[in-house]
Amino acid sequence: MTRLSLTNLPAAPVVDPKALSVGIVHLGIGAFHRAHQAVVTERAAAETGETRWGIAGVSQRSTTVRDQLAPQDGLYSVLERGLGDPSIQVIGSIRDVLTAPEDPEAVVERIADPGVSVVTLTVTEKGYRASGDGLNLNDPEIKADLTGRPPRTVIGQLAAAIARREESLTILSCDNLVANGPFLRKLVADYFEALGKVPPTFESTRFPASMVDRIVPATTDADRDDAARMLGVRDEAVVVAEPFLQWVIEDDFAGARPAWERGGAVLTGDVAPWEQAKLRMLNATHSMLAYLGALRGYETIAEAVRDEELGGLARQLMTDDVVPTLTPPDGLDLAAYGATVLERFENPALKHRTRQVAMDGSVKLPVRMLGTVRDRLAAGAEPHTISLAVAAWMVYVLRTPDLDDPQAPRLKAAVAGITDPAKLADALLAVDTIFTPDLQDSTTFRALLTTHIATLTT
């Protein structure tokens, strides 16, 4: 079958991809970006007719996305799977793809280009190379970047480009981190401090916060076959997503930006309430279902949430532990939001694998779960269900031989040979890159973890 390309478009695009110039650089061009920010950017361009907001994507690791998109002139499709019939849309907003390991200097040059005014990021929590509230200056790759080599880390790339630019830049994190904009600014500041030189343009660089939400499961061969039938051409870069899409952005930009609000985004003066609700309700519940579901042998989140007991625990997590810690943003009903979260998880068309969601637990737990634990303990309450979620992660670490986590060697070494629930809790609570002293010293939290681990391992 003929491959998707500019000469084999199933329908004429609203905005001609060939007319787009690059005004955005995106670091971390995985499936989520292509199903989320790139889609909103495309919709905004369709509404406004602006052609200056094409995207140059950067892969920080493999050449896969570049190799998929290059033969297709940068085009790909988003296959939406909901409760009704699936729908598909071809996206043309990505105009270039760079692979950082092949040419790190080209990444810096692209960000430093005067035509670029916005950089967005979806590099996952571990891509920030943080330790606690700051940059991990002991990270060997950060150390190497600080010696002056063409930078291979995200922080190094941003810092080098800021130093090279004369124009102000907006750097917009779209990762699941608390106050992701200010946090990213702090990491870049730490880098410049370690370098011993802060460029004048850093002061005018803006780091707005944002919150993103869309379930984007891994694409299967069956998805590619379905897309080919619907398009009439073969798309090797198709991404799958649920119909729901949410993007809340702090309205704090250094200069020009796309009219993302015309594409469905919400621009606001304060992202924090939206972010807390999403991280603690959706992301924490997602992770809990992943760990508990995987321990029960479920392959997908949809299977796990349809388990009567696990579905009940997911509701209980939100109502009993999470909602009491939140201040809802204007216009958001937390009870209705929680119900919507579970409805989305139950979507049988989205085969979001439990093992995929369970990845990188050491960096996800602090931002998704441990804040809720801390707040409930401070209020004098027993965080029963959220502690079960943390205990499920602990048992998952113990029982998963090929643990996919940036701290896997340390975690697996910590739990080696352990069978006693209390010793397992103590061994992982002692990992100070995850658990802070207040949680390590909490007898209530430790007792809850031990009880839950005993139940899960019986």
Side-chain angles (χ1 to χ4, degrees), residues 130-423:
S131 177
D133 294 331
L135 185 64
N136 182 5
L137 295 173
N138 292 318
D139 182 288
E141 293 298 314
I142 291 291
K143 282 183 173 182
D145 281 1
L146 286 168
T147 66
R149 72 172 183 179
R152 295 179 180 273
T153 69
V154 168
I155 303 303
Q157 291 161 1
L158 293 174
I162 290 169
R164 198 173 298 183
R165 289 179 65 96
E166 296 181 1
E167 305 80 12
S168 297
L169 183 66
T170 298
I171 301 176
L172 177 61
S173 171
C174 302
D175 282 297
N176 288 320
L177 297 164
V178 176
N180 52 14
F183 181 68
L184 178 53
R185 189 187 194 284
K186 173 68 164 55
L187 299 183
V188 177
D190 288 349
Y191 187 94
F192 282 132
E193 183 179 347
L195 202 58
K197 183 179 181 181
V198 180
T201 48
F202 179 60
E203 188 61 34
S204 60
T205 303
R206 310 309 298 165
F207 292 84
S210 80
M211 185 275 282
V212 298
D213 191 4
R214 195 175 207 188
I215 296 175
V216 182
T219 302
T220 66
D221 288 338
D223 295 323
R224 281 181 276 270
D225 290 343
D226 286 347
R229 283 192 291 271
M230 296 171 74
L231 292 171
V233 291
R234 187 77 182 174
D235 177 9
E236 295 298 335
V238 60
V239 293
V240 181
E242 64 173 334
F244 182 93
L245 186 155
Q246 187 178 39
W247 193 7
V248 182
I249 308 169
E250 181 184 5
D251 195 358
D252 180 24
F253 288 79
R257 64 167 178 83
W260 279 317
E261 66 274 25
R262 298 284 297 275
V266 173
L267 275 290
T268 180
D270 187 9
V271 172
W274 297 89
E275 171 190 80
Q276 285 286 74
K278 192 252 181 174
L279 284 171
R280 295 191 177 191
M281 294 186 75
L282 184 142
N283 292 120
T285 306
H286 213 200
S287 289
M288 183 180 78
L289 288 167
Y291 298 126
L292 290 173
L295 292 174
R296 289 198 175 184
Y298 292 126
E299 183 179 352
T300 68
I301 295 294
E303 291 171 342
V305 77
R306 289 198 297 270
D307 179 301
E308 186 174 346
E309 183 182 3
L310 298 192
L313 287 168
R315 293 179 184 86
Q316 191 173 308
L317 173 70
M318 290 188 279
T319 58
D320 292 1
D321 282 340
V322 175
V323 169
T325 72
L326 297 177
T327 301
D330 290 341
L332 182 64
D333 181 311
L334 292 178
Y337 178 67
T340 299
V341 164
L342 295 182
E343 288 174 6
R344 293 166 59 198
F345 289 169
E346 290 173 3
N347 183 352
L350 294 177
K351 301 187 184 302
H352 212 175
R353 295 180 296 111
T354 51
R355 286 181 60 86
Q356 179 186 4
V357 180
M359 290 168 52
D360 305 336
S362 66
V363 287
K364 290 176 178 176
L365 252 67
V367 296
R368 296 184 177 196
M369 296 185 187
L370 300 186
T372 297
V373 174
R374 197 172 288 111
D375 287 351
R376 295 297 282 155
L377 289 171
E382 283 199 356
H384 183 82
T385 312
I386 192 73
S387 295
L388 171 62
V390 178
W393 168 76
M394 291 179 165
V395 176
Y396 183 82
V397 169
L398 178 69
R399 291 187 172 176
T400 305
D402 54 340
L403 185 68
D404 193 339
D405 191 288
Q407 296 193 54
R410 181 178 181 181
L411 297 175
K412 295 302 290 185
V415 304
I418 290 179
T419 57
D420 180 74
K423 290 181 179 179

Side-chain angles (χ1 to χ4, degrees), residues 39-50:
V39 171
V40 176
T41 303
E42 179 103 353
R43 292 173 181 173
E47 288 291 319
T48 64
E50 287 189 301

Side-chain angles (χ1 to χ4, degrees), residues 44-67:
E47 288 291 319
T48 64
E50 287 189 301
T51 58
R52 62 172 295 186
W53 299 117
I55 300 168
V58 178
S59 171
Q60 297 294 332
R61 293 183 293 180
S62 76
T63 64
T64 301
V65 176
R66 193 268 314 277
D67 295 344

Side-chain angles (χ1 to χ4, degrees), residues 104-123:
E105 175 60 25
V107 176
V108 177
E109 287 181 3
R110 181 57 105 169
I111 299 172
D113 186 330
V116 170
S117 61
V118 178
V119 176
T120 53
L121 297 85
T122 51
V123 295

